[in-house]
Every structure is written in structure tokens, then in C-alpha cells.
């Protein structure tokens, strides 16, 4: 793997947080089919499944839990940076 696609990682993170491809797709304004395809691409890139699919529910695999922890750190940091950048320049830390 040369590069990690952060958009795919973000989609995975949203699916994991919402617990559902359909709910994540609604939040991201994407079709569930598109989001499912992007998740499959990320799993193929990483070489491991991120979710166990049981009936219609998704559960993180052990590897998925590890990836989610890193993704959570990344996207929480992005949100913190976004919050700072929305402040007037003279009020930024």
C-alpha cells in the first residue's frame, strides 16, 4: 500500500460511528451502494476486513477497531483544527 485514501478512511469512520451504511450514507449524502463500494475498496487496500457482517448488522473486527481508533484520532484532530480556523485570526491560539 503506497497511500492511504483519507476519503475512504472518513467513510469507514462515519459507518463505524453510525453503525450502519444506510445511516452513514444519509449523513454523507451518498447512496448506500456508493458507500459500500468505497468501504470494499478500503478493505481491499488494507488487506483485511474492517467489519463482520451478520444478517443486516455491522460489527467491527479486531482490525477494524484498531483502524477506527486511529481514524477517530485523525478526524477529531481535523475537527479541532477546523474549530481554530473558524476563529478570527487575532483570537487563534
Amino acid at each position: 500500500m503506497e497511500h492511504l485514501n483519507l476519503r475512504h478512511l472518513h467513510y469507514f469512520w462515519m459507518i463505524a460511528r453510525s453503525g450502519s451504511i444506510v445511516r452513514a450514507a444519509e449523513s454523507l449524502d451518498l447512496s448506500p451502494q456508493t458507500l459500500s463500494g468505497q468501504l470494499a475498496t478500503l478493505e481491499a487496500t488494507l488487506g483485511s476486513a474492517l467489519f463482520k457482517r451478520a444478517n443486516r448488522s455491522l460489527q467491527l473486527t479486531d482490525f477494524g477497531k484498531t483502524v477506527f481508533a486511529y481514524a477517530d484520532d485523525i478526524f477529531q484532530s481535523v475537527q479541532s483544527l477546523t474549530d481554530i480556523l473558524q476563529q478570527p485570526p487575532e483570537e487563534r491560539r
Side-chain angles (χ1 to χ4, degrees):
M1 183 181 88
E2 282 189 36
H3 300 284
L4 179 62
N5 185 315
L6 291 180
R7 184 174 305 261
H8 292 165
L9 185 64
H10 184 252
Y11 292 164
F12 157 72
W13 181 68
M14 292 292 291
I15 295 166
R17 287 183 54 202
S18 69
S20 159
I21 289 176
V22 172
R23 283 191 296 266
E26 289 170 357
S27 176
L28 293 164
D29 198 28
L30 296 170
S31 74
Q33 295 80 7
T34 297
L35 199 53
S36 181
Q38 297 299 303
L39 176 61
T41 299
L42 178 62
E43 288 179 323
T45 299
L46 299 177
S48 291
L50 297 167
F51 292 101
K52 295 177 213 168
R53 291 160 177 88
N55 296 325
R56 300 190 125 242
S57 69
L58 294 175
Q59 296 178 340
L60 288 168
T61 62
D62 288 340
F63 180 65
K65 289 175 187 176
T66 299
V67 173
F68 179 78
Y70 281 99
D72 201 43
D73 287 345
I74 289 166
F75 295 115
Q76 284 188 30
S77 293
V78 168
Q79 185 59 56
S80 294
L81 176 58
T82 301
D83 293 345
I84 289 169
L85 296 175
Q86 289 177 344
Q87 298 173 357
E90 61 277 0
E91 293 180 21
R92 294 178 187 162
R93 307 181 243 153

